[in-house]
Amino acid sequence: MTVNDDPKYQAGNPSTAEEHLSDDVIISPDTQRDNRIPAGQSRTRKWPVLHYGTVPTINHDLWRLQIGGLVERPLKLTLDEFRALPHVKVYSDFHCVTKWSRLGNVWGGVSVQEIMQRVGVKAEAKFVIAEGFDSGWTTNIPIEDFNVSDALLVETHDGEPLDADHGGPVRLVVPQLYAWKSAKWLRKLTFVAEDSPGYWEQLGYHMHGDPWVINEMNPDGERFRDDPDWKGPRPPESY
Protein backbone atom coordinates (compact mmCIF):
# COMPACT_ATOMS: atom_id res chain seq x y z
CA MET A 1 0.00 0.00 0.00
CA THR A 2 1.34 3.44 -0.92
CA VAL A 3 1.05 6.50 1.31
CA ASN A 4 -1.72 7.85 -0.92
CA ASP A 5 -3.71 4.64 -0.45
CA ASP A 6 -3.30 4.49 3.34
CA PRO A 7 -6.46 5.88 5.00
CA LYS A 8 -4.62 6.21 8.34
CA TYR A 9 -1.74 8.30 6.97
CA GLN A 10 -1.56 11.77 8.53
CA ALA A 11 -0.58 14.08 5.68
CA GLY A 12 -0.43 17.32 7.67
CA ASN A 13 0.10 18.44 11.21
CA PRO A 14 -1.64 16.39 13.89
CA SER A 15 -4.92 17.70 15.18
CA THR A 16 -4.98 19.56 18.47
CA ALA A 17 -7.02 19.07 21.63
CA GLU A 18 -8.84 22.33 20.94
CA GLU A 19 -10.19 20.93 17.67
CA HIS A 20 -11.84 18.07 19.56
CA LEU A 21 -13.38 19.90 22.50
CA SER A 22 -16.89 18.49 22.80
CA ASP A 23 -19.25 17.16 25.43
CA ASP A 24 -18.85 13.64 24.04
CA VAL A 25 -15.02 13.59 23.75
CA ILE A 26 -12.60 13.06 26.65
CA ILE A 27 -9.31 14.87 26.13
CA SER A 28 -6.21 13.01 27.29
CA PRO A 29 -4.04 15.44 29.30
CA ASP A 30 -0.89 14.46 27.41
CA THR A 31 -2.30 16.05 24.24
CA GLN A 32 -2.23 19.45 25.96
CA ARG A 33 1.53 19.46 26.58
CA ASP A 34 3.60 22.09 24.79
CA ASN A 35 5.72 19.26 23.39
CA ARG A 36 3.61 16.14 22.79
CA ILE A 37 6.53 13.86 21.84
CA PRO A 38 8.45 12.28 24.77
CA ALA A 39 12.25 12.14 24.86
CA GLY A 40 13.68 9.58 22.44
CA GLN A 41 10.47 9.37 20.39
CA SER A 42 9.78 10.61 16.86
CA ARG A 43 6.44 11.24 15.22
CA THR A 44 5.08 8.75 12.71
CA ARG A 45 2.44 9.79 10.21
CA LYS A 46 1.45 6.15 9.72
CA TRP A 47 -0.15 3.72 12.13
CA PRO A 48 2.45 0.95 12.41
CA VAL A 49 1.50 -2.65 13.13
CA LEU A 50 3.64 -4.35 15.80
CA HIS A 51 3.04 -7.50 17.81
CA TYR A 52 5.21 -10.28 19.17
CA GLY A 53 3.45 -13.18 17.44
CA THR A 54 0.60 -13.83 15.01
CA VAL A 55 -2.78 -12.13 14.86
CA PRO A 56 -5.33 -14.41 16.55
CA THR A 57 -8.44 -15.48 14.67
CA ILE A 58 -11.39 -14.43 16.83
CA ASN A 59 -14.94 -15.56 16.18
CA HIS A 60 -17.01 -12.52 17.12
CA ASP A 61 -19.98 -14.70 18.02
CA LEU A 62 -17.84 -16.55 20.57
CA TRP A 63 -15.90 -13.53 21.86
CA ARG A 64 -16.14 -13.08 25.60
CA LEU A 65 -14.62 -10.48 27.92
CA GLN A 66 -14.12 -11.57 31.52
CA ILE A 67 -13.62 -9.09 34.38
CA GLY A 68 -12.79 -10.64 37.74
CA GLY A 69 -10.36 -10.99 40.59
CA LEU A 70 -10.81 -8.56 43.49
CA VAL A 71 -14.28 -7.34 42.46
CA GLU A 72 -17.74 -7.54 44.00
CA ARG A 73 -19.59 -8.46 40.80
CA PRO A 74 -17.55 -10.39 38.19
CA LEU A 75 -18.65 -9.89 34.60
CA LYS A 76 -18.53 -11.96 31.46
CA LEU A 77 -19.66 -10.04 28.37
CA THR A 78 -20.51 -11.08 24.84
CA LEU A 79 -19.64 -8.64 22.07
CA ASP A 80 -23.28 -7.56 21.80
CA GLU A 81 -23.42 -6.97 25.55
CA PHE A 82 -20.21 -4.99 25.41
CA ARG A 83 -21.55 -2.85 22.57
CA ALA A 84 -24.72 -2.17 24.56
CA LEU A 85 -22.74 -0.47 27.35
CA PRO A 86 -22.40 3.34 27.38
CA HIS A 87 -19.67 4.40 24.95
CA VAL A 88 -17.36 7.41 24.96
CA LYS A 89 -14.68 8.91 22.72
CA VAL A 90 -11.13 9.74 23.81
CA TYR A 91 -8.72 12.02 21.98
CA SER A 92 -5.17 10.95 22.79
CA ASP A 93 -1.64 10.37 21.57
CA PHE A 94 -0.07 6.91 21.35
CA HIS A 95 3.56 6.20 22.24
CA CYS A 96 5.27 2.93 21.32
CA VAL A 97 8.32 1.76 23.27
CA THR A 98 10.07 1.19 19.94
CA LYS A 99 10.38 4.99 19.75
CA TRP A 100 7.51 6.15 17.55
CA SER A 101 4.54 8.29 18.54
CA ARG A 102 1.27 8.63 16.66
CA LEU A 103 -0.38 11.88 17.62
CA GLY A 104 -4.06 12.82 17.49
CA ASN A 105 -6.05 9.58 17.70
CA VAL A 106 -9.77 9.44 18.40
CA TRP A 107 -10.72 6.18 20.10
CA GLY A 108 -14.26 4.95 20.72
CA GLY A 109 -15.29 2.39 23.31
CA VAL A 110 -16.26 1.76 26.91
CA SER A 111 -14.55 3.72 29.65
CA VAL A 112 -12.41 1.74 32.08
CA GLN A 113 -14.12 3.68 34.87
CA GLU A 114 -17.51 2.48 33.61
CA ILE A 115 -16.31 -1.12 33.82
CA MET A 116 -14.79 -0.61 37.28
CA GLN A 117 -18.01 0.87 38.60
CA ARG A 118 -20.08 -2.01 37.26
CA VAL A 119 -17.91 -4.73 38.79
CA GLY A 120 -17.25 -2.95 42.10
CA VAL A 121 -13.47 -3.07 42.43
CA LYS A 122 -12.39 -3.87 45.99
CA ALA A 123 -10.13 -1.51 47.93
CA GLU A 124 -7.34 -4.08 48.17
CA ALA A 125 -6.96 -4.20 44.35
CA LYS A 126 -3.74 -2.37 43.48
CA PHE A 127 -3.00 -3.70 39.98
CA VAL A 128 -4.78 -4.96 36.87
CA ILE A 129 -3.59 -7.85 34.71
CA ALA A 130 -4.81 -7.49 31.12
CA GLU A 131 -4.83 -10.68 29.04
CA GLY A 132 -5.20 -11.03 25.29
CA PHE A 133 -6.47 -13.79 23.03
CA ASP A 134 -2.94 -14.20 21.66
CA SER A 135 -1.76 -17.25 23.59
CA GLY A 136 -2.55 -15.82 27.00
CA TRP A 137 -0.36 -12.72 26.54
CA THR A 138 -0.54 -10.43 29.59
CA THR A 139 0.59 -7.05 30.86
CA ASN A 140 0.42 -5.49 34.33
CA ILE A 141 -0.90 -1.99 35.11
CA PRO A 142 -1.04 -0.12 38.44
CA ILE A 143 -4.63 0.67 39.41
CA GLU A 144 -3.90 4.41 39.64
CA ASP A 145 -2.83 4.43 35.96
CA PHE A 146 -5.79 2.28 34.94
CA ASN A 147 -8.51 4.18 36.81
CA VAL A 148 -8.27 7.37 34.73
CA SER A 149 -10.76 9.14 32.51
CA ASP A 150 -8.88 8.62 29.23
CA ALA A 151 -8.36 4.83 29.55
CA LEU A 152 -10.90 2.74 27.72
CA LEU A 153 -11.78 -0.55 26.08
CA VAL A 154 -11.63 0.38 22.42
CA GLU A 155 -13.52 -0.88 19.37
CA THR A 156 -13.14 2.08 16.98
CA HIS A 157 -10.21 4.24 15.87
CA ASP A 158 -10.76 7.55 14.08
CA GLY A 159 -14.37 6.59 13.47
CA GLU A 160 -13.68 3.17 11.94
CA PRO A 161 -13.98 -0.31 13.51
CA LEU A 162 -10.70 -1.46 14.99
CA ASP A 163 -9.14 -3.95 12.60
CA ALA A 164 -7.56 -7.22 13.68
CA ASP A 165 -3.99 -6.04 13.07
CA HIS A 166 -4.48 -3.29 15.63
CA GLY A 167 -6.23 -5.43 18.23
CA GLY A 168 -9.87 -5.70 17.12
CA PRO A 169 -12.55 -6.41 17.95
CA VAL A 170 -11.68 -4.89 21.36
CA ARG A 171 -8.37 -3.73 22.80
CA LEU A 172 -7.33 -1.80 25.87
CA VAL A 173 -5.94 1.72 25.45
CA VAL A 174 -4.14 3.42 28.36
CA PRO A 175 -2.78 6.52 26.59
CA GLN A 176 -0.54 7.83 29.35
CA LEU A 177 1.60 4.66 29.39
CA TYR A 178 3.64 3.08 26.61
CA ALA A 179 1.50 1.29 24.05
CA TRP A 180 2.50 -2.27 25.04
CA LYS A 181 0.38 -1.70 28.18
CA SER A 182 -2.63 -1.23 25.87
CA ALA A 183 -3.28 -4.94 25.39
CA LYS A 184 -4.58 -5.99 21.98
CA TRP A 185 -7.34 -8.60 21.43
CA LEU A 186 -8.56 -8.17 24.99
CA ARG A 187 -10.15 -11.19 26.66
CA LYS A 188 -9.70 -10.71 30.42
CA LEU A 189 -9.10 -8.09 33.10
CA THR A 190 -8.14 -9.36 36.54
CA PHE A 191 -7.84 -7.05 39.54
CA VAL A 192 -5.14 -8.19 41.96
CA ALA A 193 -3.42 -7.03 45.16
CA GLU A 194 0.18 -7.81 44.12
CA ASP A 195 2.07 -6.78 41.00
CA SER A 196 2.97 -9.54 38.54
CA PRO A 197 5.04 -9.00 35.38
CA GLY A 198 3.41 -9.73 32.05
CA TYR A 199 4.96 -11.08 28.85
CA TRP A 200 7.17 -8.12 27.91
CA GLU A 201 7.86 -7.22 31.53
CA GLN A 202 9.30 -10.70 32.08
CA LEU A 203 11.59 -10.08 29.11
CA GLY A 204 12.85 -6.77 30.44
CA TYR A 205 10.37 -4.01 29.66
CA HIS A 206 9.54 -1.67 32.54
CA MET A 207 7.01 -2.71 35.17
CA HIS A 208 5.33 0.72 34.92
CA GLY A 209 6.05 2.11 31.44
CA ASP A 210 5.57 5.89 31.65
CA PRO A 211 7.04 7.50 28.50
CA TRP A 212 7.43 10.88 30.20
CA VAL A 213 9.64 9.82 33.13
CA ILE A 214 13.19 11.08 32.71
CA ASN A 215 15.86 10.29 35.29
CA GLU A 216 19.29 8.68 35.61
CA MET A 217 17.88 5.18 35.12
CA ASN A 218 15.42 6.21 32.42
CA PRO A 219 16.93 8.77 30.01
CA ASP A 220 14.13 8.32 27.46
CA GLY A 221 11.14 7.10 29.45
CA GLU A 222 10.48 3.97 31.49
CA ARG A 223 11.37 1.57 28.72
CA PHE A 224 13.43 -1.09 30.49
CA ARG A 225 13.35 -2.76 33.90
CA ASP A 226 15.15 -0.71 36.53
CA ASP A 227 14.01 -2.49 39.69
CA PRO A 228 17.05 -3.26 41.89
CA ASP A 229 16.73 -7.05 41.77
CA TRP A 230 16.27 -7.33 37.99
CA LYS A 231 19.00 -9.53 36.51
CA GLY A 232 17.43 -10.52 33.23
CA PRO A 233 18.07 -9.44 29.63
CA ARG A 234 16.92 -6.31 27.85
CA PRO A 235 14.17 -6.83 25.28
CA PRO A 236 14.73 -5.91 21.62
CA GLU A 237 14.68 -2.25 20.61
CA SER A 238 12.09 -3.19 18.02
CA TYR A 239 10.00 -6.24 17.23
Side-chain angles (χ1 to χ4, degrees), residues 26-33 36 38 90-96 107 113 141-142 144-152 172-182 208-213 221-222:
I26 297 165
I27 304 297
S28 178
D30 283 350
T31 64
Q32 297 177 305
R33 293 174 180 264
R36 290 164 60 178
V90 168
Y91 172 77
S92 73
D93 298 333
F94 196 65
H95 308 294
C96 181
W107 310 96
Q113 293 181 334
I141 306 161
E144 62 266 24
D145 295 285
F146 190 72
N147 184 19
V148 291
S149 63
D150 59 343
L152 74 167
L172 178 65
V173 170
V174 185
Q176 296 182 62
L177 298 181
Y178 276 121
W180 92 81
K181 296 290 187 177
S182 296
H208 184 213
D210 186 335
W212 296 99
V213 169
E222 292 177 332

Side-chain angles (χ1 to χ4, degrees), residues 181-210:
K181 296 290 187 177
S182 296
K184 293 181 178 181
W185 311 296
L186 191 64
R187 70 179 301 172
K188 184 185 292 187
L189 295 169
T190 306
F191 292 87
V192 297
E194 302 293 334
D195 201 5
S196 178
Y199 177 85
W200 281 117
E201 294 81 9
Q202 292 178 48
L203 294 177
Y205 278 141
H206 203 277
M207 292 288 281
H208 184 213
D210 186 335

Side-chain angles (χ1 to χ4, degrees), residues 83-170:
R83 288 173 172 165
L85 296 177
H87 276 48
V88 298
K89 296 177 184 177
V90 168
Y91 172 77
S92 73
D93 298 333
F94 196 65
H95 308 294
C96 181
V97 72
T98 59
K99 297 189 174 184
W100 56 261
S101 294
R102 190 183 195 276
L103 307 183
N105 305 273
V106 178
W107 310 96
V110 178
S111 167
V112 159
Q113 293 181 334
E114 173 77 25
I115 294 292
M116 291 181 65
Q117 182 179 20
R118 286 176 179 267
V119 299
V121 177
K122 296 181 180 180
E124 57 265 37
K126 304 301 180 185
F127 298 90
V128 181
I129 306 300
E131 179 179 329
F133 277 90
D134 46 339
S135 304
W137 184 95
T138 62
T139 190
N140 52 309
I141 306 161
I143 196 78
E144 62 266 24
D145 295 285
F146 190 72
N147 184 19
V148 291
S149 63
D150 59 343
L152 74 167
L153 280 57
V154 165
E155 61 172 339
T156 66
H157 176 264
D158 290 346
E160 299 293 332
L162 195 64
D163 62 34
D165 277 343
H166 288 101
V170 177

Side-chain angles (χ1 to χ4, degrees), residues 59-72:
N59 184 326
H60 289 198
D61 292 333
L62 300 179
W63 181 91
R64 298 292 185 271
L65 174 64
Q66 299 180 59
I67 303 102
L70 294 173
V71 300
E72 301 288 349

